[in-house]
């Protein structure tokens, strides 16, 4: 028979556990959640009536923590951990099945377990809120930087356009007046590099949104087919297999044809560049509700998680020096945003990257 003294002792254990769990959560480091969860598990073990044989198991996302003697066959009580009203984990408290029954658990212990799972859920909610706030802050800072850089870039692009045009014009005039073949070859190199520089200026102006848009309804399948034909020599050079999947014969959206072609060209060219010889590049278009989704995949090494937040930043590139200006994906991002679309990337299976573009239907 349970005495008043025994009942009081159990209430003290439960209150002590709740106090300790509250303290652990209050002082929890969001970067060391597993340490906090482990401490909570051992607090619970000591709070139950038969603490010498009590075992605890906690499962939450990537975390699985349990006391040494826990077994799935034990007599158990459990409580779900909810994060934003969604079940995300569970805590189980068990006694040896050969000596104890569910009736051996106290009602107060059930209340304690429920309170602890609520507290853990609140901790995880605060963690997610903090991470979301940090992400929004980074996006705002990035937007501010891009805005300032865009203004600077627009000015630089305008300043460079005139001297580049003069270099090209006067070089062509010199070629007409010089008979020396060696000098002509040198002048050809000047023209070639001036044209390359002019293309960079165009990209800068795209990035800075200085190129006027001519928005009109375009037939997407036809545009992609035309872009892929331009890239046939690059595909052939690396013996790349191209797979195409179009969800419909007539998919239309409102776009600037020149800018949209540049988006497709850049992304498919990147897919070819990063795919191995005899690899596969995939292009697909599907209609999803009120959106049109374009997916471009490669079989390269994928994007390192350490740099995935930087790939759309201007002048950032993983290509060797001289093979990329670091403006391609920045320009792509800017054009897609101006078309009220979004671009994301995800791992391809078994390896590589998939860029996913979403646009509103016409």
């Amino acid at each position: 028979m349970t005495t008043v003294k025994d009942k009081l002792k159990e209430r003290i254990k439960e209150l002590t556990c709740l106090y300790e769990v509250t303290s652990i959560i209050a002082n929890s480091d969001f970067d060391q959640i597993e340490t906090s969860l482990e401490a909570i598990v051992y607090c619970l073990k000591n709070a139950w009536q038969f603490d010498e044989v009590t075992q605890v198991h906690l499962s939450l996302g990537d975390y699985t923590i349990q006391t040494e003697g826990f077994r799935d066959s034990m007599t158990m009580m459990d409580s779900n951990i909810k994060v934003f009203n969604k079940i995300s984990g569970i805590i189980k408290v068990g006694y040896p099945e050969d000596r104890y029954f569910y009736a051996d658990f106290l009602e107060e212990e059930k209340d304690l377990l429920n309170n602890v799972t609520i507290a853990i859920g609140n901790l995880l909610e605060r963690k997610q809120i903090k991470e979301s706030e940090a992400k929004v802050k980074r996006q705002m800072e990035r937007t501010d930087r891009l805005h300032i850089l865009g203004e600077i870039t627009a000015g630089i692009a305008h300043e460079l356009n005139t001297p580049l045009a003069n270099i090209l014009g006067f070089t062509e005039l010199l070629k007409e007046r010089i008979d020396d073949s060696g000098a002509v070859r040198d002048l050809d190199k000047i023209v070639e590099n001036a044209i390359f520089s002019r293309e960079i200026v165009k990209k800068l102006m795209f990035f800075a949104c200085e190129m006027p848009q001519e928005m009109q309804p375009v037939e997407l399948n036809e545009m992609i087919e035309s872009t892929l034909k331009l890239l046939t020599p690059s595909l052939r050079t690396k013996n790349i297999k191209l797979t195409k999947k179009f969800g419909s014969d007539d998919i239309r959206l409102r776009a600037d044809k020149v800018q949209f072609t540049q988006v497709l060209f850049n992304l498919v060219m990147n897919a070819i560049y990063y795919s191995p010889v005899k690899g596969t590049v995939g292009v697909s278009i599907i209609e999803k509700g009120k959106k049109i989704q374009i997916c471009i995949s490669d079989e390269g090494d994928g994007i390192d998680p350490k740099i995935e937040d930087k790939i759309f930043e201007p002048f950032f590139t993983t290509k060797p020096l001289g093979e990329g200006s670091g403006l391609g994906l920045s320009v792509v991002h800017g054009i897609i945003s101006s078309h009220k679309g979004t671009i994301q990337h995800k791992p391809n299976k078994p390896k590589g990257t998939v860029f996913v573009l979403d646009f509103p239907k016409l």
Side-chain angles (χ1 to χ4, degrees):
M1 183 175 177
T2 306
T3 65
V4 173
K5 183 178 179 181
D6 291 334
K7 289 182 178 179
L8 183 59
K9 181 182 175 182
E10 291 308 313
R11 297 300 82 71
I12 291 171
K13 284 169 64 176
E14 291 155 11
L15 289 171
T16 300
C17 174
L18 194 57
Y19 172 77
E20 289 177 352
V21 168
T22 303
S23 298
I24 291 166
I25 288 175
N27 297 294
S28 180
D29 183 346
F30 289 138
D31 295 325
Q32 301 290 331
I33 289 291
E34 188 171 7
T35 302
S36 300
L37 295 176
E38 185 175 354
I40 290 170
V41 163
Y42 282 92
C43 279
L44 286 171
K45 174 176 169 55
N46 296 327
W48 256 244
Q49 183 178 9
F50 306 109
D51 53 338
E52 302 89 353
V53 294
T54 300
Q55 304 297 336
V56 183
H57 169 95
L58 183 149
S59 177
L60 179 63
D62 295 332
Y63 306 115
T64 300
I65 303 164
Q66 63 186 36
T67 52
E68 189 174 345
F70 181 85
R71 301 183 309 276
D72 287 332
S73 60
M74 302 184 86
T75 300
M76 285 185 286
M77 71 188 314
D78 59 56
S79 181
N80 291 323
I81 300 169
K82 293 184 179 180
V83 181
F84 295 113
N85 293 322
K86 181 181 177 182
I87 296 175
S88 301
I90 192 170
I91 299 179
K92 301 175 183 177
V93 180
Y95 287 147
E97 68 277 12
D98 57 341
R99 286 182 284 160
Y100 295 88
F101 302 95
Y102 190 82
D104 291 314
F105 291 113
L106 304 175
E107 282 297 321
E108 292 82 0
E109 290 171 341
K110 182 65 176 177
D111 292 339
L112 172 63
L113 188 56
N114 288 338
N115 286 329
V116 170
T117 55
I118 290 170
I120 293 173
N122 290 338
L123 172 65
L124 270 293
E125 288 177 2
R126 293 204 306 274
K127 181 177 184 290
Q128 288 187 19
I129 290 169
K130 184 178 179 181
E131 289 172 348
S132 296
E133 289 175 346
K135 184 178 180 181
V136 170
K137 184 180 179 182
R138 287 196 302 271
Q139 288 174 339
M140 290 177 65
E141 289 172 349
R142 180 176 180 275
T143 301
D144 288 342
R145 288 198 304 271
L146 291 179
H147 178 71
I148 294 168
L149 187 56
E151 291 181 348
I152 296 170
T153 299
I156 293 171
H158 284 299
E159 291 295 325
L160 288 175
N161 256 339
T162 301
L164 281 174
N166 289 338
I167 290 169
L168 283 168
F170 284 113
T171 304
E172 292 292 346
L173 288 173
L174 279 172
K175 284 172 65 178
E176 294 175 5
R177 294 163 54 187
I178 293 177
D179 294 328
D180 185 336
S181 59
V184 170
R185 281 197 300 272
D186 290 340
L187 290 171
D188 283 337
K189 289 179 182 177
I190 293 173
V191 170
E192 182 182 332
N193 282 278
I195 290 172
F196 178 76
S197 300
R198 189 175 64 184
E199 289 304 308
I200 291 178
V201 169
K202 282 184 181 179
K203 288 182 179 180
L204 288 169
M205 294 181 77
F206 272 120
F207 168 70
C209 300
E210 288 291 315
M211 299 293 284
Q213 284 184 328
E214 294 183 13
M215 304 293 281
Q216 58 185 327
V218 296
E219 209 287 301
L220 196 52
N221 294 5
E222 182 183 319
M223 192 188 307
I224 288 180
E225 290 285 11
S226 299
T227 304
L228 293 176
K229 282 181 182 177
L230 292 173
L231 292 165
T232 299
S234 299
L235 290 162
R236 192 179 296 124
T237 299
K238 293 183 71 174
N239 199 13
I240 297 286
K241 179 184 177 183
L242 178 66
T243 63
K244 297 179 288 185
K245 184 180 179 182
F246 299 160
S248 171
D249 293 333
D250 185 23
I251 302 177
R252 294 176 177 271
L253 56 77
R254 188 172 179 78
D256 180 293
K257 195 168 184 178
V258 174
Q259 291 186 4
F260 207 86
T261 299
Q262 182 167 6
V263 166
L264 298 171
F265 189 92
N266 266 289
L267 291 175
V268 177
M269 195 68 201
N270 272 354
I272 295 170
Y273 179 89
Y274 287 107
S275 286
V277 174
K278 296 184 179 180
T280 300
V281 167
V283 179
S284 67
I285 314 170
I286 57 173
E287 295 178 89
K288 297 182 71 175
K290 295 182 178 180
K291 290 185 178 180
I292 295 170
Q293 187 173 89
I294 304 171
C295 296
I296 298 170
S297 63
D298 64 59
E299 293 184 340
D301 294 330
I303 298 172
D304 189 331
K306 294 179 182 177
I307 64 166
E308 61 182 10
D309 291 338
K310 299 180 180 180
I311 64 167
F312 295 115
E313 291 183 1
F315 310 112
F316 178 83
T317 181
T318 57
K319 294 178 181 177
L321 187 64
E323 291 191 25
S325 62
L327 285 168
L329 286 179
S330 303
V331 170
V332 164
H333 188 276
I335 293 173
I336 290 172
S337 296
S338 71
H339 282 68
K340 298 180 181 178
T342 61
I343 178 169
Q344 297 175 314
H345 59 82
K346 62 182 182 180
N348 192 17
K349 294 180 181 180
K351 65 174 185 176
T353 302
V354 182
F355 280 90
V356 181
L357 289 61
D358 285 305
F359 296 95
K361 271 188 181 179
L362 182 63

